[in-house]
Amino acid sequence: MYDQRFLYLTQKDVIEAGFGVDEVIDTIEQALIEHVERRVEMPPKPGVHPLPDTFLHAMPAYVPNMQSLGMKWISCFPENYKHGLQQTLGIIALNDIETGILYSVMDCAWITAQRTAAITAIAAKHLAREDSEVLAVVGAGVQCRASLIFLSNVMPNLKRVQVYDLNKEAVDKFIRDLSQYIEGEIVAVDTAQKAVSDCDIYVSATKVLSEPQPFVKDEWFKNEGVFYAPLEIDSAIEWETIKRMDKFLTDDWKQTNYFATIGCFPNGLPELYAELGEVVNGAKPGRENAKENNMIIAVGMAIEDITLAKKIYERAVEKNIGIQLDL
């Protein structure tokens, strides 16, 4: 027997570590480059599905150059709002590279929202028009809230955000909390069609369904040169929209193929232009003209979680945040 202690960080602790938007983007960009240059170990995430359209995923990863080793154990239960709970909950465990011992356990909800929003923002830097002004938001929950904050950091010309959600209270809170992040206006609309009809950037975060039921119609999009980031894979947006993209990207093609085996992309996988890291590291160009319609469907990678968690752990230690617990 021997003593083993680890640093436990609550969601409040993780937030109070004070890791800013620019720092998150920098960390995720580095992780993306490590990924496409094949310097990571990250098996496709296995999962269990206790109820329809729910899952718990185990997401292990190792990124040697960023000294990050660990696993995220994350759940997604879309009906959690009925219980006053977030849809996405879970933990991240970090392990020492030399000994394998556990040295930190932390909440993963904030980290998941931040790294996913960072992926959207990084993709927008390369794939959206620089003069994009109108952002369509379908789903006013945690993920789209984070996405707006990150997009406002990389798309300074945003003048109007059009928000649709079935939950009017969520829309009101979205507007109240986030108006400070853009110089223009955030407005509520009463249909998804009104949200998307004249947009330059489209972001949605609704339910990830085992059998996609798209409700955002391709015919509603009127503009050329739109950047699309549906965060629920293909559950909300029609196949026709995905199929007509000039450039279709994902974060990890291997895991995108895995998701196709468990119900996503029932019409088949779109033709891949690039993994996002290939654009970030300059191996492939991003947007090349104003008329391109470009899309990223990111399935989420464990390397994003554990590299960001490692940085937050280091900041928490510097600030003496968290509780040391015995294992």
Side-chain angles (χ1 to χ4, degrees):
M1 296 293 292
Y2 60 90
D3 293 332
Q4 184 180 335
R5 309 200 83 199
F6 63 92
L7 183 67
Y8 174 67
L9 300 174
T10 67
Q11 185 173 135
K12 182 173 180 287
D13 294 332
V14 169
I15 294 170
E16 288 185 353
F19 217 69
V21 169
D22 288 336
E23 293 176 302
V24 174
I25 289 175
D26 288 346
T27 300
I28 300 306
E29 284 180 333
Q30 185 180 351
L32 288 169
I33 292 171
E34 292 298 307
H35 171 252
V36 296
E37 296 182 0
R38 305 299 181 247
R39 294 191 294 264
V40 307
E41 185 176 356
M42 183 183 66
K45 43 192 168 187
V48 292
H49 309 84
L51 296 171
D53 297 323
T54 68
F55 64 77
L56 289 97
H57 282 161
M59 300 174 62
Y62 172 42
V63 187
N65 287 344
M66 299 178 75
Q67 293 291 290
S68 300
L69 172 66
M71 187 180 80
K72 181 166 77 168
W73 176 240
I74 185 169
S75 66
C76 182
F77 282 60
E79 301 300 312
N80 269 3
Y81 70 92
K82 296 177 182 178
H83 307 288
L85 297 171
Q86 293 180 5
Q87 174 175 289
T88 300
L89 299 166
I91 61 168
I92 293 173
L94 296 176
N95 297 83
D96 180 74
I97 292 171
E98 297 297 325
T99 65
I101 66 168
L102 179 75
Y103 66 82
S104 185
V105 173
M106 66 187 73
D107 174 82
C108 80
W110 185 87
I111 290 172
T112 299
Q114 297 292 296
R115 61 81 149 156
T116 305
I119 290 291
T120 300
I122 292 164
K125 282 198 301 182
H126 296 278
L127 299 169
R129 298 193 330 269
E130 290 184 10
D131 62 351
S132 295
E133 295 184 351
V134 179
L135 168 64
V137 171
V138 176
V142 170
Q143 196 54 70
C144 279
R145 290 166 65 90
S147 294
L148 173 57
I149 294 171
F150 276 75
L151 283 168
S152 69
N153 186 269
V154 300
M155 305 299 299
N157 293 314
L158 285 179
K159 292 183 170 58
R160 182 177 174 88
V161 180
Q162 298 168 170
V163 188
Y164 169 73
D165 195 295
L166 290 172
N167 185 336
K168 186 178 183 303
E169 290 183 4
V171 174
D172 291 342
K173 181 172 175 55
F174 187 103
I175 295 171
R176 186 169 61 250
D177 293 348
L178 301 179
S179 291
Q180 61 180 302
Y181 289 98
I182 69 166
E183 294 184 4
E185 59 180 350
I186 305 178
V187 297
V189 293
D190 57 8
T191 66
Q193 182 174 1
K194 290 179 181 177
V196 308
S197 62
D198 62 345
C199 70
D200 303 310
I201 298 174
Y202 165 89
V203 177
S204 59
T206 57
K207 295 180 181 180
V208 179
L209 301 175
S210 56
E211 296 182 6
Q213 299 173 16
F215 64 92
V216 179
K217 305 301 182 184
D218 184 57
E219 65 195 46
W220 294 347
F221 293 98
K222 302 302 182 184
N223 288 355
E224 286 186 315
V226 176
F227 167 65
Y228 298 80
L231 302 178
E232 63 289 278
I233 311 181
D234 60 343
S235 292
I237 200 163
E238 287 191 314
W239 169 247
E240 288 78 8
T241 306
I242 300 171
K243 186 178 180 180
R244 67 176 172 82
M245 290 297 105
D246 294 292
K247 289 175 178 168
F248 174 85
L249 288 83
T250 186
D251 48 355
D252 184 89
W253 186 236
K254 183 177 181 180
Q255 293 197 89
T256 302
N257 277 267
Y258 167 73
F259 269 71
T261 69
I262 58 173
C264 299
F265 302 105
N267 296 292
L269 285 164
E271 181 179 351
L272 179 70
Y273 170 69
E275 291 181 326
L276 180 57
E278 295 177 277
V279 175
V280 173
N281 75 355
K284 292 187 178 181
R287 175 174 289 273
E288 297 178 88
N289 64 68
K291 293 185 177 181
E292 280 185 1
N293 293 293
N294 298 326
M295 177 182 290
I296 184 166
I297 292 183
V299 296
M301 296 194 294
I303 60 167
E304 301 157 6
D305 300 296
I306 66 159
T307 54
L308 185 53
K310 173 76 180 308
K311 299 277 190 181
I312 289 170
Y313 164 80
E314 292 169 347
R315 185 69 55 82
V317 170
E318 290 175 7
K319 293 187 172 183
N320 197 29
I321 293 171
I323 303 170
Q324 290 286 344
L325 296 176
D326 293 323
L327 186 63

